[in-house]
Amino acid sequence: MLIFIREKHLPFWLDKEETLEFPTVKDKTKVDVAIVGGGIVGITTGLMLKKQGFKVGIIESKKIASDVTGSTTAKITISSNLVYDEILSDSGLEVALKFRDANILAFDKISEIINEYKIDCDYEKIPLYIYSTDQNNYKDIEKEYKALQKLDIDADLTDDFQMPFNEESFKENNAKSKDSENNIGMNKAIRYNNQAIFHPKKYSNSLVKLIPGEGSHVFENNKVIDIKEGKINTDKGDIFADSIIIATNSPIYDPDSTLSYMSPIKSYMLGVYVKEKIPDAMFVDINPFHTYRKTPTEKGDLLIIAGEHHHTGKSKDTSANFKKLIEYTKKKFNVNSIEYYWSNQDNKTTDRLPVIGETSQKGIYIATGFGSWGIVKATLAGMMLTDLISNKKNIYTEAFSPKRFKKQKSIKKKCQSSFNTKDLNTEELKIVKDAILDLNPGEAKIIELPKRGISIYKDLKSNFFALQANCTHYGCRLSWNSAEKTWDCPQHGSLFDYKGNSIHGPAIKNLKSYLD
């Protein structure tokens, strides 16, 4: 079967949607609240705060909603996986009920915002199925359902639902598989009715347009260099604020070391056209973990499928993850064409709860740890942070506080806190250049010198790059991402492009280059 691969290495949401233009920072700008990060957390919080009379300033290092928000699968749900049973068991009934209420509150808020501002963003109410076709997983699904009953969450346990793939095509594509006939007939699911999907860039664009003016600002292409109480230094100028919100997915300012209690998780996505008619629903297959949803396009419904999750920086060959996802998709569906492929990452906390609130540094707030469930959690963050900055009581403050981990043991290994970044001496330079000559175009590796590591890469035009091999955040050794051509930190999730530029926090500083 011939499948056309267009090789658009970008999220579908960013391909044809309007690209907005905002200025860079004007030096010595003064606002009431400065928000670092122009994704859905920053935009939602900024608009809510402006509505309450605050002057806000959003500072984005790239383009608005172009990073994590622009790379989401954009499912709006009160659950994303088997999570409630774990929270109920580990954190107790009171916390689990707050977690439930917070998700429902934020879920409802999104539709309220869409109606209030009359936003055209392909918003649609559809059911969510968290399911498995493997009998070995049925007990886990049933345990989750019992937790949902205990928490009085509206959901059904069912084995009667239309699979996201056509049964006949499944059998056709898996004719050589011994167990394909059996697997298709077995399924069990938790169904959440009246969940939702939308277009995240259309939504974000509509909201961010409402922020500039009356003393509020949106700034793009500004790299934050330093954050201090009441002041943010950027490469284009300084911003002064009474309160500061860090909304950078992985916090670039983290006085309570919340990143020590989170794991950065990388996910892979495809946008494909298939012959099957995709049901009006979202699907989460719990093992192996994959998600499906469709979105309307001019050419018909595009299927967005995600999977092949792993800890950031801990896959030996990230290109192979895309290949596995393509193989999985071809096995499940009759694929006409693969239009888009991209990846994303998010942080999962040890207790599965988000991190939202004021840090131990008075006046500085963070929002992170959404566990690949960012649309609802980001909206919750906007609501909570608006309350806290407005000096209003919020009942979720303690449960989701950044300070809740203080008595817990870090899950992170200790990294190399100091390492040599001096220029290469003559002997080191020769070793590096010889190693680069041995590389094939498109290859990368880390050279271990006596007192340091050097990461090297040769691009397809035989240009070569040599950088420090340790992250500028806490000094952790980096890992090569062959699919994205980036150097990734396996501990805290920082990403650097092959030239050494920091493109995803928590790292702020670029890697030192040795061959400039």
Side-chain angles (χ1 to χ4, degrees), residues 265-332:
I265 306 296
K266 177 78 76 175
S267 307
Y268 299 82
M269 274 70 74
L270 297 176
V272 303
Y273 289 114
V274 299
K275 292 180 180 178
E276 292 83 0
K277 177 176 171 54
I278 306 301
D280 293 326
M282 293 171 280
F283 299 88
V284 175
D285 187 347
I286 65 171
N287 188 21
F289 188 86
H290 291 87
T291 74
Y292 316 82
R293 62 152 292 189
K294 64 180 180 180
T295 191
T297 76
E298 294 176 353
K299 295 166 60 176
D301 287 336
L302 183 78
L303 175 66
I304 296 176
I305 183 168
E308 308 307 325
H309 299 51
H310 64 81
H311 285 72
T312 299
K314 294 188 178 181
S315 174
K316 291 182 179 180
D317 182 4
T318 51
S319 294
N321 295 105
F322 277 118
K323 292 176 183 177
K324 288 179 183 177
L325 188 56
I326 290 172
E327 290 170 3
Y328 177 90
T329 304
K330 288 165 62 178
K331 195 173 181 181
K332 297 286 188 183

Side-chain angles (χ1 to χ4, degrees), residues 18-19 22 42 52 58 74 85 113 125-126 134 148 183 187 194 225 244 250 258 345 350 355 358 366 400-401 439 455:
E18 177 186 11
T19 300
F22 294 100
Q52 293 296 315
I58 295 177
D85 178 63
I113 290 171
K125 286 280 189 76
I126 58 175
D134 185 344
L148 299 180
N183 282 350
N187 51 67
N194 295 313
I225 298 170
I244 295 172
S250 294
T258 62
Q345 74 178 51
T350 53
V355 178
E358 188 174 25
I366 65 172
F400 305 148
S401 171
L439 284 180
S455 60

Side-chain angles (χ1 to χ4, degrees), residues 83-131:
V83 62
Y84 284 98
D85 178 63
E86 183 177 339
I87 291 174
L88 183 60
S89 299
D90 294 347
S91 300
L93 180 61
E94 182 180 354
V95 170
L97 288 170
K98 287 183 177 179
F99 182 71
R100 174 204 67 182
D101 291 346
N103 289 327
I104 294 171
L105 183 71
F107 176 89
D108 291 340
K109 186 65 177 179
I110 293 171
S111 61
E112 180 186 315
I113 290 171
I114 290 170
N115 291 330
E116 179 180 357
Y117 297 108
K118 297 179 173 57
I119 300 172
D120 181 8
C121 60
D122 303 329
Y123 180 83
E124 181 183 0
K125 286 280 189 76
I126 58 175
L128 164 70
Y129 291 92
I130 298 178
Y131 79 98

Side-chain angles (χ1 to χ4, degrees), residues 189-227:
I190 295 171
R191 180 178 59 220
Y192 294 86
N193 294 310
N194 295 313
Q195 304 301 289
I197 52 176
F198 73 167
H199 191 304
K201 194 68 168 71
K202 289 180 179 180
Y203 179 79
S204 299
N205 278 0
S206 297
L207 294 188
V208 77
K209 289 176 182 177
L210 302 170
I211 294 175
E214 300 175 320
S216 291
H217 310 271
V218 176
F219 301 116
E220 289 183 324
N221 300 309
N222 307 270
K223 186 168 183 178
V224 171
I225 298 170
D226 192 22
I227 297 172

